[in-house]
Amino acid sequence: MADQPLHADHALMAKIADGDHRAFALLYNRYWPLLYLHAYRMLRDEKAAEDAVQETFTWFWKNAPLITFKGSVSSYLYGAIRHHVLNQIRHEKVKGAYFDEIAAYITAGHYQVDEVVRYNELVEAIESEIDRMPPRMREIFNLSRKHLHSHKEIAELLGISESTVREQIKRALRQLRVVVNDKSYLLLIAMQLLR
């Protein structure tokens, strides 16, 4: 029974990807109030929250054919709203006075329900980007971050210099930085990614 909403959302998503406006309207009406409340809790501004939800749904509609889900549609939408709001903050679209309040909100751990979802979405995005790396870079990065080998061990294992290992890891992290684009996430990559 609990799987029905998940299944229904995925069925709607398939129709939306095919350009079905009615399916999009159903999804929009189902999640707009919840996403608005989520955005409002972060922004404390009704107009900014409405704009964030509207812009997120607009982006979602335009990109629906390219979006794939491993989890739930609702988790994806919550993550998209959060990402959009954080981008607004970065680009100073929200009054500066709210930044400290939002940072405190995030630090205080008010995302208890979403922490696992956020982490899993992050790991998926990182894994996807790692898969796009050139084979040698991917191999070196995985030996370093997944298998916890030192630069020296990787160099010996692959018959290359330590400086080559260091350079490949730096390039890999730069490539991930473009995708992740968030310093706290980059810290996660550097410290505990894919344990």
Side-chain angles (χ1 to χ4, degrees):
M1 196 75 167
D3 289 337
Q4 282 183 342
L6 180 66
H7 177 71
D9 282 354
H10 281 276
L12 280 178
M13 194 56 219
K15 291 178 181 180
I16 292 167
D18 289 335
D20 186 331
H21 290 275
R22 187 171 176 269
F24 179 76
L26 288 170
L27 194 76
Y28 180 93
N29 292 331
R30 180 177 296 164
Y31 288 108
W32 193 95
L34 297 171
L35 296 176
Y36 169 78
L37 289 174
H38 190 59
Y40 181 76
R41 278 197 314 260
M42 295 173 71
L43 295 167
R44 304 276 188 228
D45 181 301
E46 291 178 6
K47 178 73 171 115
E50 285 176 10
D51 289 348
V53 175
Q54 191 62 38
E55 289 170 20
T56 299
F57 270 113
T58 300
W59 178 91
F60 187 79
W61 171 253
K62 288 178 181 175
N63 292 282
L66 306 173
I67 299 171
T68 56
F69 297 96
K70 290 186 180 176
S72 69
V73 174
S74 62
S75 296
Y76 186 88
L77 289 171
Y78 274 98
I81 282 289
R82 185 171 32 262
H83 179 73
H84 182 82
V85 169
L86 293 175
N87 276 343
Q88 276 187 300
I89 293 165
R90 268 189 221 99
H91 298 317
E92 300 177 350
K93 291 179 183 172
V94 177
K95 293 178 182 175
Y98 291 116
F99 184 81
D100 291 341
E101 183 179 327
I102 292 169
Y105 178 79
I106 292 169
T107 305
H110 291 287
Y111 287 108
Q112 293 169 5
V113 175
D114 292 327
E115 283 300 319
V116 173
V117 172
R118 287 178 65 217
Y119 181 81
N120 288 339
E121 288 174 353
L122 171 63
V123 170
E124 283 179 31
I126 292 168
E127 281 286 6
S128 177
E129 190 59 27
I130 290 171
D131 288 343
R132 287 189 198 101
M133 290 178 181
R136 191 61 150 187
M137 180 190 292
R138 182 174 59 242
E139 181 181 21
I140 291 169
F141 187 79
N142 285 335
L143 285 170
S144 172
R145 293 304 190 262
K146 288 185 179 180
H147 302 288
L148 304 176
H149 287 295
S150 69
H151 291 178
K152 183 177 181 180
E153 289 170 335
I154 296 168
E156 290 173 1
L157 193 65
L158 300 178
I160 57 178
S161 70
E162 284 185 59
S163 63
T164 300
V165 171
R166 257 190 302 280
E167 185 58 32
Q168 288 294 313
I169 290 172
K170 279 183 194 175
R171 287 181 183 170
L173 288 172
R174 266 196 302 268
Q175 186 171 333
L176 289 173
R177 188 175 293 123
V178 170
V179 172
V180 177
N181 198 21
D182 185 307
K183 290 179 183 172
S184 63
Y185 287 169
L186 289 175
L187 180 62
L188 174 67
I189 294 168
M191 299 300 288
Q192 62 182 12
L193 173 63
L194 309 170
R195 293 174 290 189

